[in-house]
Amino acid sequence: MGDLTMLRSRHLLGIEDLEPAEISLILDTAVAMKEVGTRSIKKVPALRGRTVVNLFFEPSTRTRLSFELAEKRLSADTMGMTTAGSSVVKGETLIDTARTLEAMSPDMIVVRHACSGAAHVLARVCRSSIINAGDGTHEHPTQALLDAFTIQGRKGRLAGVRVAIIGDLAHSRVLRSNVLLLTRMGAEVVACGPATLIPVGLGRMGVTVTTSIDEACEGADVLMMLRVQHERMHGLFLPSVREYFTLFGLTAARLARAKSDAIVMHPGPMNRGVEIASDVADGNQSVILDQVANGVAVRMAVLYLLAGGEQNEGA
Amino acid sequence: MPVVMDADRVAKSLTRIAHEIIERNRGIDDLRLVGIRTRGVPIAQRLAACLKDITGTEVPTGVLDITLYRDDLMGHDVGPQPLVRSTEIPFDIDGRDVLLVDDVLYTGRTIRAALDALIDFGRPRSIQLMVLVDRGHRELPIRADYVGRNVPTSKKESVRVHLVEIDGRDEVEVA
Amino acid sequence: MKTLLKGGRVIDPVAGRDGQFDVLIDGDRVAKIGKGIPAGDARVIDVPAGFIVAPGLIDMHVHLREPGQEHKETIATGLASAVAGGFTAVACMPNTSPVNDQAGITQFILKRAAEAGLARVYPIGAVSIGSNGEQLTEIGDLRQAGCVAITDDGKPVGTALLMRRALEYASMFMMPVIEHCEDPSLKGDGVAHEGAVASLLGLKGIPACAESIMAERDISLAELTGGRVHIAHMSARQTLRAVRDGKARGVHVTCEVTPHHFTLTDEAIRGYDTNTKMNPPLREEADRQAMIDGLRDGTIDAIATDHAPHHADEKALEFDKAPFGIVGLETAIPLCVSRLIEPGLIDWPRLIDLLSAAPARILGLPGGTLAEGGPADITVIAPAAAVTVRAAALRSKSKNTPFDGWALKGAAAATIVGGRVVFVNDAVAGAERFQ
């Protein structure tokens, strides 16, 4: 049996650590998990008796809820911790917070943190499996996995699919994870954003970089829009929201440059009228709500697979 | 390796069982077949074909993956997670007679998981079980309603079911 | 009290000496260097074959943290670390708490150093009061108290005008201005070299030209004023080019590089080990190569460690939040030997020049050569000694090194300051003869 049946690491810190076979395993498993969500009783006992801590140091609604739902559908016991009102605001360090939680013997810790590499810090000190739910501007692996799952569901494949990723490239963990995943799976990736928001060396990651959204849209199978945060909208990165939308907003006219069956994606939360026009966001090519639904299935797959622990010799 | 069922015997067993099913259920209008992955699936499909040959009625047939219900997932030392494949039950099972189909009945744990899974899909009127081979050594109070062949085995032996759809030939061996 | 070091390979680039010689130490001075010096009443130490007897190494860029940050390092622990690393003298940076911006603090540092009785300490004073980049310190007073240079290290001298005045004023005292080259606006809240690795890791970048732009400014100002500027911990190839051009024009500019900048690249930050976070950041392979080129062609004057101890708790944070810096005193010789000498990039006389003669020359210090009548500051090096870096075993109070577990070659066998053996490396066979 050459087929991979488990992940090599007991953590999911980033797409960077995943081989294509592991990505496929997660996506295949997510197909089965998605079916669970269609049943009248949307719950399976697979993770009964396991404890998952959701450690969110950064505000997040959809990712946190998506993980919680995934955990509950697998019958795990879940605990949540968000920074407001926690010991973190009292000056406790990340490592101390993690060690305190570890004392309660969770099996997995899902962590969201504003600092890049925070999940790596936890993985170094924790016995539990660490799942990165977004670390700073580094990675957001489950988002890329659910995006890939959505693309695969719509296009039947990842290899050869032309994906344009448009927006604030520099500050986007979604971009990094998606670029790593899509290039690894043989997709063709075009990254587009204002020159002030293009990370150095992006071109060396196997993607085409452009500042022209028309060029990016041309012939695309997938248009993946990235959120542009309001704080970047004034001052040194961008002169104004108005100009950003003029130059980089996804409008119906620009969408028309893509393939006729192109899909429009957004990791959310969306800024309507900033990176995407409302008629496009709500149009029939938009799969934004699919992404949300798929997020639960993909996270179930990740939780399930990581519950198996680390591959050991002879396993 | 001793062959305990050849292709002919497999085919005859399925035909015999199809007749038993019709007799026992007094018709098959409310019957739904659910094959347990992996080898229960082609067996269920063949059984459905037999039932159609006899009655002319198409019996809806689904696929059940019981991995997420396995009792060896929980509370165990870590180890590789069994591969999860999709479950496809594209019909309502409420108030129906569901026939679970599997290749080999051994400890009964797979069937226990399958029963749990089925019940999450609805409330069938009855659940019955058909297996191609019953090799004994039950660890749970479960028995099959229809059996292709009872094969006494020792726990050290293994029963290998080969099916054309998966393995290229129909044969049951004990090794 | 006389000691005769017999038969070591004496390397003294200033004196143009490289060969088997005896060194006679009388009290705190070198009495005689030559072949077959009679022992007389001196204690004779037969220097093991292959050992190098060099003028005491001088680290012109260390942070001793005292006063104010004694949880990271004290002058005593810093100097214990220095002598264990083979340094007979260190120049310490003024970014203590309070900043060394007045004579009283300089005197305090020197007093503590004298109490420790290990390596010599040459304090470096602040350019501006509180290193705030506004008002010049009393540089003459600092000189009087014992400062050998001025700097606002940790940050660049605030404005071009202040730098101009500092260069002009310090030139009256023959003091260089040591500059931490970094354009603050380009650095921003960057934590790593701006390049492909930082992009992939999602870390905010510090572009190489943040350094070179400031170096260009300062070299132009040194040219304008005739003052002496020394570029600290150079990391970027653009900066090297600026220094090379400046030197070619006859500007009084000198520069130093750290062992970590010629050893590591930004690849080391993958995995977010905060012991790879330093400022300037580890740069790209092309920069590392440029540093080696600069060491080979003479553009780089000195090697200094930028020894920057931080408490383990301070480093046990997210990469963004951890402080910049690593300890360097005890890994300098092994890194220089393993990365420069062993691959044949530079020879021993050049290395001794970089580690001893050049710092003495730049800062105007006694030492840097073994001269009859000069101070008996001597570093004995075992070039072939195999060493494995053990962070926990470092003498420095802090253990923040990215080299933990590295197997390297070369070690200080013994360190002699003012004729006194202040360190013997018991991990090196033969070193016990110096006990």
Side-chain angles (χ1 to χ4, degrees), chain C residues 9-19 52-55 57 295-296 300-303 340-341 345-359 361 368-369 381:
Chain C
R9 177 183 172 189
V10 175
I11 300 177
D12 180 356
V14 173
R17 190 174 273 131
D18 180 4
I52 288 166
V53 175
L57 307 188
L295 288 166
R296 285 166 62 96
I300 293 174
D301 298 272
I303 292 172
L340 300 176
I341 298 289
L345 296 170
I346 61 171
D347 60 15
W348 272 104
R350 172 69 177 141
L351 182 61
I352 300 304
D353 187 65
L354 287 158
L355 284 166
S356 176
R361 201 158 55 228
T369 181
I381 298 168

Side-chain angles (χ1 to χ4, degrees), chain A residues 16 93-95 113 115-117 120 124 137-138 176 199-200 204-205, chain C residues 194-196 199-203 270-273 316-318 320-321:
Chain A
E16 163 122 71
T93 66
L94 173 62
I95 288 176
H113 198 286
C115 291
S116 301
H120 291 71
R124 269 202 295 273
T137 54
H138 175 226
R176 283 167 179 76
V200 174
R204 275 178 271 164
M205 290 172 72
Chain C
E194 182 178 297
S199 289
L200 188 65
L201 295 181
L203 294 173
R270 289 179 190 271
Y272 302 95
D273 179 359
L317 291 176
E318 298 85 323
D320 284 345
K321 293 181 182 167

